[in-house]
Amino acid sequence: MNDLFASLKEELTHLSTEDGLKRLCEKFPKENIKFSSALGEEDQVITHFIGRNKLPISLFTLDTGRLFQETYDLIDLTNKKYGVSIDVYFPDHSDIEKLVKEKGPNSFYESVENRKECCFLRKVKPLRRALEGATVWITGLRSSQSDHRQSFDVIEWDDDLKIVKYNPLLKWTYDEMQAFIKQNNVPINGLHKKGFTSIGCAPCTRAITPGEDIRAGRWWWESSHKECGLHETKQVQK
């Protein structure tokens, strides 16, 4: 795997997003390349590249059971516009039933630990199941989204999941992304027009006010660094 990682890093680091995705499809079968989309603007840009080029990449999203209706509408619209089929992974029902029975439906408001427990059950565990058998995990992360993500690299080795992680939009700026979306008529969540810059679960997301950080609307009652656990595992830049 060390040789594979080194080879991918050498090839993909200097390629454009579109060319990088194409190169992955030349090297691996569809079942080995998986793109996790949260239906955010970054994710929609990547889906645009995949759909426009008919790339054989598996797309999936995580349905936590607490999403906005606008997010479901976007899944439907995206599938139809690009001719793709976004697989949807759900949490284990027994996990959620146990959590709600023991702590109630809103335990995430009570402490960071409770919130991370909820995220783990609703997001991290389904993600691990979705990535089973994959060699490369594609994400829509951008470094300017948070201080935490500025330490990421375009190509990383996720030592916890034992998978190559490809962040093709990492160096894109917010303005570059917005210009691309407008120029290519990329479908986005209707909540973005209402001040929602980062959209997750409905009870954990609010619109931001002018001047606030783009992730201020996520878990706004916390002073944490605004991560759910999907991208907090140890990243090794070999």
Side-chain angles (χ1 to χ4, degrees):
M1 187 58 72
N2 285 351
D3 291 341
L4 171 63
F5 178 86
S7 173
L8 286 175
K9 188 167 186 177
E10 178 67 25
E11 288 190 74
L12 300 182
T13 298
H14 304 294
L15 291 178
S16 67
T17 298
E18 189 167 24
D19 289 341
L21 294 171
K22 289 179 178 179
R23 183 60 182 140
L24 282 178
C25 294
E26 294 170 357
K27 294 178 72 70
F28 301 101
K30 180 176 182 177
E31 59 269 20
N32 291 132
I33 315 170
K34 295 192 176 183
F35 167 44
S36 61
S37 172
L39 286 302
E41 292 175 302
E42 293 84 1
D43 301 308
Q44 289 298 96
V45 169
I46 294 176
T47 299
H48 175 84
F49 285 126
I50 292 172
R52 182 173 70 180
N53 293 283
K54 306 298 180 186
L55 298 179
I57 293 174
S58 298
L59 290 80
F60 72 88
T61 193
L62 307 176
D63 186 342
T64 64
R66 305 295 295 264
L67 302 181
F68 290 95
Q69 179 59 42
E70 287 86 348
T71 301
Y72 295 113
D73 294 341
L74 183 58
I75 293 173
D76 191 45
L77 175 60
T78 301
N79 283 337
K80 291 175 180 177
K81 178 178 176 66
Y82 293 113
V84 298
S85 179
I86 300 174
D87 294 326
V88 181
Y89 285 81
F90 297 87
D92 186 304
H93 68 88
S94 60
D95 284 340
I96 305 308
E97 289 171 0
K98 183 174 184 292
L99 175 66
V100 173
K101 181 178 181 179
E102 293 180 354
K103 296 186 176 182
N106 295 318
S107 61
F108 44 84
Y109 289 131
E110 297 171 3
S111 68
V112 174
E113 290 73 25
N114 277 359
R115 195 271 294 168
K116 288 190 174 183
E117 177 186 26
C118 187
C119 287
F120 179 78
L121 297 177
R122 294 181 184 273
K123 292 184 177 182
V124 178
K125 285 188 68 175
L127 174 77
R128 291 176 176 175
R129 182 160 51 90
L131 290 175
E132 288 178 0
T135 302
V136 180
W137 170 23
I138 301 169
T139 85
L141 297 177
R142 288 189 306 105
S143 60
S144 64
Q145 288 173 319
S146 69
D147 291 340
H148 176 65
R149 297 180 181 185
Q150 289 179 11
S151 63
F152 290 3
D153 201 354
V154 173
I155 303 289
E156 300 174 313
W157 172 252
D158 189 303
D159 203 43
D160 184 36
L161 297 173
K162 307 301 180 186
I163 195 170
V164 175
K165 192 173 180 181
Y166 179 39
N167 310 311
L169 296 187
L170 193 70
K171 303 303 181 184
W172 283 45
T173 67
Y174 179 79
D175 288 342
E176 287 173 335
M177 178 184 68
Q178 291 300 316
F180 184 91
I181 289 171
K182 183 176 181 180
Q183 181 179 357
N184 293 277
N185 195 29
V186 176
I188 61 173
N189 195 311
L191 291 173
H192 288 303
K193 297 180 180 179
K194 299 179 180 180
F196 289 75
T197 50
S198 179
I199 302 169
C201 294
C204 300
T205 308
R206 65 162 173 80
I208 65 171
T209 58
E212 280 192 304
D213 180 81
I214 61 172
R215 285 181 69 81
R218 301 293 294 277
W219 313 296
W220 66 90
W221 64 92
E222 291 183 8
S223 58
S224 66
H225 61 234
K226 308 295 184 180
E227 293 289 350
C228 62
L230 295 180
H231 304 290
E232 288 190 300
T233 53
K234 186 178 181 182
Q235 310 300 316
V236 181
Q237 300 177 17
K238 297 181 179 178

